[in-house]
Amino acid sequence: MKILFMGTPDFAAAILERLCKTEHEIIGAVSQPDKPKGRGHKLMPTDVRLKAEELGIPVYQPETLKGEAFLPQLKVLKPDMIIVAAYGKILPRYIIDFPKYGCINVHASLLPKYRGAAPIQWAIINGDETTGVSIMRMDYGLDTGDVIAAAETTIGKYETSAQLFDRLAVIGGELLACTIEQISDGTAQYKRQKDSEHTYAPMISKKDAVIDWYRSAEEISKLICGMNSYPLAQTTYKGKSLKIVDAEITDAVNGRPGEIIGLVKRKGLLVGCGKGALYLKNVQFEGSKRMYVEDYARGHNIDDGVILGETIV
């Protein structure tokens, strides 16, 4: 079978690598255009482009898919199946309808839960105990197609979205490889989603990352885990940015919401929450790099009693 792959970030790159270990012919990888990153705004290749080039797979990076812009290339490639994993754009009908075996999407949730752009982050932020991967035959809606296969996994207490991305990429790659064989030999079963049970996982914004210290320590911990590695949960210290990389829950001490209670050796910076407290362990103060809070405190004063998130006039 001739397969065309479509994806952009590292999650998709891992899926592509697993796909190349099947007996099918990977005729190309379509990824979003390279984008400028960093202070120098240097154009950086996408993870899928890098992986495809490493594997010797032709790469296509169309500026747009609208108006049948990619149709001439499809007619040349003639894929029997298109595999999509975190491509980042909604596919137009002419692409979905083109391959004989359809467009097959690897989605990082147990559909119909968490349709949309950020299912992994929202599963963690919302405190779900489990999540998974669904293999779906795409239709014209947003992650609304029939589910062919699914695999479930438990979310760790302090598992970050970055860590879960990596695990689900492995799970998804293995599940996809099995599903492709079922599709090709005609044994695949297609299950319609229950639209009434769907939830939505919108793209993460920096506003979503702002900590509300009146929430419980457990809720804030989930936000911190879900926002790691991007954009990182954030608050302010004396009116300046403070990003939290990781933290640990404790119910031993209660302080006012957001109040710095003190630095505890080998534990972190103890901060009160609406219920319970958190030890902030790895942080990024404004103008500084990410580091353990104890390392930062060796060269900077961190004042007890300061309320994080409070606006300084």
Side-chain angles (χ1 to χ4, degrees):
M1 187 187 299
K2 294 168 63 177
I3 295 177
L4 179 66
F5 183 81
M6 301 183 74
T8 300
D10 51 357
F11 174 83
I15 300 290
L16 174 60
E17 185 169 32
R18 177 61 183 89
L19 190 60
C20 287
K21 295 177 182 177
T22 67
E23 296 180 355
H24 302 284
E25 180 185 0
I26 314 305
I27 57 176
V30 181
S31 190
Q32 288 201 42
D34 298 340
K35 294 181 179 179
K37 292 183 180 179
R39 293 181 179 179
H41 298 287
K42 181 181 178 181
L43 275 179
M44 298 296 290
T46 69
D47 293 306
V48 162
R49 175 186 166 182
L50 290 173
K51 180 58 65 175
E53 289 175 345
E54 176 189 320
L55 296 168
I57 299 170
V59 179
Y60 306 92
Q61 294 179 281
E63 291 291 335
T64 182
L65 301 175
K66 296 179 180 178
E68 299 190 343
F70 197 62
L71 184 58
Q73 193 62 62
L74 284 178
K75 289 180 176 178
V76 171
L77 293 170
K78 298 178 181 178
D80 299 309
M81 178 186 291
I82 295 176
I83 301 294
V84 184
Y87 178 64
K89 291 183 179 180
I90 295 176
L91 301 191
R93 291 190 175 213
Y94 76 89
I95 294 180
I96 293 173
D97 292 340
F98 189 91
K100 175 182 177 181
Y101 292 100
C103 287
I104 306 302
N105 179 241
V106 184
H107 186 76
S109 81
L110 298 173
L111 291 167
K113 197 169 187 179
Y114 296 125
R115 295 174 179 171
I120 293 175
Q121 293 95 325
W122 286 111
I124 293 175
I125 293 167
N126 291 337
D128 290 8
E129 293 183 355
T130 62
T131 187
V133 177
S134 299
I135 309 296
M136 171 193 71
R137 179 171 60 185
M138 296 178 69
D139 61 13
Y140 308 131
L142 179 63
D143 300 323
T144 55
D146 294 345
V147 174
I148 312 169
E152 187 173 355
T153 186
T154 300
I155 300 174
K157 182 177 181 180
Y158 293 113
E159 187 166 21
T160 67
S161 62
Q163 292 166 338
L164 189 52
F165 262 102
D166 291 343
R167 285 208 302 116
L168 290 180
V170 173
I171 293 170
E174 294 299 326
L175 187 64
L176 174 65
C178 295
T179 306
I180 291 173
E181 300 310 316
Q182 293 172 348
I183 294 171
S184 63
D185 65 20
T187 61
Q189 296 184 8
Y190 300 82
K191 184 179 180 181
R192 182 173 296 181
Q193 295 185 42
K194 294 181 179 179
D195 289 336
S196 61
E197 297 178 1
H198 91 277
T199 59
Y200 182 53
M203 187 176 295
I204 293 291
S205 72
K206 290 185 178 180
K207 289 182 179 180
D208 297 318
V210 176
I211 297 172
D212 176 2
W213 292 102
Y214 282 86
R215 292 189 173 275
S216 70
E218 185 172 351
E219 289 175 301
I220 296 171
S221 172
K222 294 303 181 185
L223 179 68
I224 292 168
C225 290
M227 293 297 172
N228 182 342
S229 61
Y230 180 85
L232 291 181
Q234 48 196 299
T235 186
T236 57
Y237 171 75
K238 295 184 176 181
K240 294 185 177 181
S241 171
L242 172 61
K243 296 181 179 180
I244 316 299
V245 181
D246 64 69
E248 183 179 315
I249 300 168
T250 177
D251 56 7
V253 179
N254 278 297
R256 291 177 295 168
E259 180 186 5
I260 294 178
I261 300 169
L263 184 64
V264 181
K265 192 173 182 180
R266 290 191 291 274
K267 284 286 189 178
L269 190 65
L270 185 59
V271 177
C273 305
K275 180 181 178 182
L278 287 173
Y279 288 114
L280 308 187
K281 303 174 79 66
N282 199 330
V283 299
Q284 183 176 6
F285 282 88
E286 187 171 320
S288 178
K289 297 179 180 180
R290 299 182 191 183
M291 63 179 68
Y292 288 106
V293 69
E294 290 185 74
D295 293 335
Y296 180 84
R298 290 190 181 99
H300 305 81
N301 290 325
I302 304 176
D303 297 331
D304 295 353
V306 172
I307 303 296
L308 298 180
E310 200 168 57
T311 302
I312 305 298
V313 179

